Amino acid sequence: MIDIPFSNGNTHQLKNKWEELTADEFKQELGYIAKFMSGDITLSQLRLMTFLLISGEKFSLHPKHNIADRQAENILRIAHQMTFMMRIDYENSKSFGKLKKEIREKLERYLPEELEETPEIRWAAKSAKSTVPDIVFAKNLIPVIGRRRHIFKGYTFDMEDNILTTSLTTSQFINAQMVALEIQETGKESLLNLLVAILYSGKSKHYSTLEAGQVAKTLGWLDLETKNAIFINFNAIQTFLTTRTKYSILFNAPVADHVEAKPKHNLGLGTVAHSLIKSGYADIDNSNLLKFFEIMYSDLVNSVVSLHKQGNAIDKIAELTGLTISKINQII
């Protein structure tokens, strides 16, 4: 939430995070972003539409022009703060990374021409850049689908006080991940049905691959907008896990193309799960996803520490594990 001050001394809290949106707001916002990406609306219009959506306000301007102008200016000023849904990407990421943190944060959310001119802002104005959706967050925003007798309860995924919790099992996440990748490559609506069936258990308390396949055949009633939103939501959570948690280390690419020894996590999660079962971890498929990640994380950290204690140089550890030297230094 962000605080919006009013001239009468009161403040109004306004949503400014994906995690704070309702299911309907989430789906509508995705529609607005699609319009922006297709060039139908500008960034300023996107912010204004977002503000009107999440504030729930329907404004009618005063008949007197001077008052109406002030009203419109205030609305646009507030809407200008709606920045959570888009990000400015700079092509020269190396130079961008050298800027001060507070400047980078502003330039990631606002175009250079919207900011007070400084040498850094002038550099940004001349740099190649693009405005892209920033759809990365830690929550299932569509907790249930359907109505009446066709109610399907979805998975939970939340971050509260920096504590991550989820109801996803290892096999459920791995299967959903494989289907989501196939959807990206083919765009088949039938695969959207399967993804929904994997993530939404209906009346069943436990995930079953066989049951998910059967349920997928019955989801013709579910609208395409909701199916796409579920797909995007799951991808947002995947990206969050692999970029914004300690588990991101598990998904690093090898340090060089010639590296022969790759860490277990680069083999694919399904292969890792199978290898853990063979190593004595019982029923890892049906265990909680975060338990699975924690096992992988501990296994990798222990491997790095062990290699270091054996006297291996950091570059040798990097070659054996596929981790970057900076990541290895963080561990040891």
Side-chain angles (χ1 to χ4, degrees):
M1 294 281 187
I2 56 174
D3 291 329
I4 306 297
F6 287 87
S7 57
N8 60 7
N10 295 330
T11 58
H12 177 71
Q13 286 197 316
L14 200 61
K15 299 174 183 178
N16 198 27
K17 289 172 59 179
W18 283 109
E19 290 91 337
E20 295 168 344
L21 302 188
T22 66
D24 286 340
E25 289 169 346
F26 174 52
K27 287 186 281 187
Q28 286 190 60
E29 185 62 30
L30 292 179
Y32 295 165
I33 289 175
K35 287 184 177 182
F36 171 78
M37 297 304 293
S38 64
D40 293 335
I41 59 174
T42 65
L43 182 58
S44 293
Q45 289 172 323
L46 172 62
R47 289 173 181 156
L48 178 59
M49 292 167 71
T50 300
F51 167 63
L52 294 176
L53 170 67
I54 63 181
S55 67
E57 298 289 346
K58 290 185 169 73
F59 293 98
S60 57
L61 295 179
H62 197 278
K64 292 186 177 180
H65 292 303
N66 60 331
I67 298 177
D69 287 345
R70 285 201 302 272
Q71 283 181 314
E73 184 179 344
N74 287 334
I75 293 169
L76 291 173
R77 178 177 54 82
I78 297 172
H80 187 69
Q81 299 181 60
M82 299 292 98
T83 60
F84 69 92
M85 62 285 186
M86 304 300 293
R87 184 183 74 251
I88 316 297
D89 269 356
Y90 288 81
E91 192 173 303
N92 191 340
S93 57
K94 188 174 181 180
S95 294
F96 181 76
K98 293 179 180 178
L99 300 177
K100 293 180 180 179
K101 182 181 177 182
E102 58 268 25
I103 295 174
R104 291 201 312 270
E105 289 175 347
K106 287 182 179 179
L107 285 171
E108 283 177 337
R109 297 300 166 185
Y110 294 102
L111 294 169
E113 57 265 31
E114 298 176 302
L115 300 171
E116 183 178 349
E117 189 172 302
T118 64
E120 294 88 352
I121 302 303
R122 284 197 293 272
W123 170 86
K126 297 176 183 177
S127 300
K129 53 191 166 294
S130 58
T131 306
V132 297
D134 189 12
I135 309 179
V136 183
F137 53 86
K139 188 172 184 178
N140 178 14
L141 296 177
I142 307 178
V144 294
I145 56 173
R147 56 183 181 179
R148 299 190 181 95
R149 289 180 298 175
H150 296 287
I151 295 292
F152 289 79
K153 185 178 179 181
Y155 65 101
T156 61
F157 197 98
D158 287 287
M159 172 80 87
E160 294 288 342
D161 297 323
N162 292 320
I163 303 297
L164 200 58
T165 59
T166 184
S167 65
L168 286 167
T169 66
T170 302
S171 61
Q172 190 177 14
F173 180 82
I174 291 173
N175 290 346
Q177 190 180 51
M178 290 189 297
V179 172
L181 180 60
E182 192 69 18
I183 291 170
Q184 283 183 312
E185 294 177 351
T186 67
K188 290 182 180 178
E189 186 175 348
S190 60
L191 291 173
L192 283 172
N193 289 342
L194 181 56
L195 180 67
V196 173
I198 291 170
L199 297 173
Y200 290 74
S201 59
K203 296 179 181 179
S204 302
K205 293 183 179 180
H206 302 288
Y207 168 69
S208 162
T209 303
L210 179 61
E211 185 175 336
Q214 294 171 339
V215 170
K217 299 174 183 177
T218 70
L219 290 175
W221 55 269
L222 186 61
D223 61 280
L224 185 58
E225 180 190 35
T226 299
K227 292 175 188 176
N228 281 326
I230 289 170
F231 167 61
I232 292 170
N233 199 154
F234 180 70
N235 281 342
I237 286 172
Q238 281 195 85
T239 306
F240 178 85
L241 276 169
T242 59
T243 63
R244 300 188 184 180
T245 69
K246 70 176 185 179
Y247 305 122
S248 63
I249 194 174
L250 302 171
F251 300 90
N252 276 353
V255 294
D257 293 337
H258 67 273
V259 172
E260 294 180 4
K262 296 181 181 180
K264 286 194 299 181
H265 49 276
N266 279 340
L267 299 175
L269 294 182
T271 303
V272 175
H274 182 67
S275 68
L276 288 175
I277 292 171
K278 290 178 67 176
S279 300
Y281 290 98
D283 201 24
I284 196 72
D285 280 349
N286 295 316
S287 70
N288 186 273
L289 174 67
L290 297 181
K291 178 183 177 181
F292 174 56
F293 277 164
E294 196 61 40
I295 291 171
M296 286 200 298
Y297 180 81
S298 298
D299 183 49
L300 182 61
V301 169
N302 290 338
S303 294
V304 171
V305 171
S306 177
L307 288 168
H308 182 61
K309 286 182 178 179
Q310 291 169 19
N312 289 286
I314 291 179
D315 57 349
K316 181 63 176 178
I317 298 174
E319 181 182 340
L320 292 171
T321 64
L323 295 175
T324 62
I325 290 176
S326 62
K327 288 292 185 182
I328 294 170
N329 283 327
Q330 288 177 28
I331 293 173
I332 60 177

